[in-house]
Amino acid sequence: MKLTTVTNISVDGVMQGLGLADEDRRGGFERGGWALLLVDEETMEYLGGV
């Protein structure tokens, strides 16, 4: 079995949801949804394939 994961983690070790603007605001984090604003069509196609 092959398992593939795409994990986003900050330099200080924080793993938070990054999709929607109001996603995963636990622990006082105010910046949900930061990554999708930076993703282009080619990247979305790749991530969809993963």
Side-chain angles (χ1 to χ4, degrees), residues 26-41:
R26 293 173 291 169
F29 292 97
E30 298 178 359
R31 298 187 181 200
W34 57 270
L36 286 183
L37 301 175
L38 305 173
V39 176
D40 61 14
E41 234 178 272

Side-chain angles (χ1 to χ4, degrees), residues 19-31:
L20 302 173
D22 61 350
E23 181 179 0
D24 196 6
R25 300 238 177 159
R26 293 173 291 169
F29 292 97
E30 298 178 359
R31 298 187 181 200

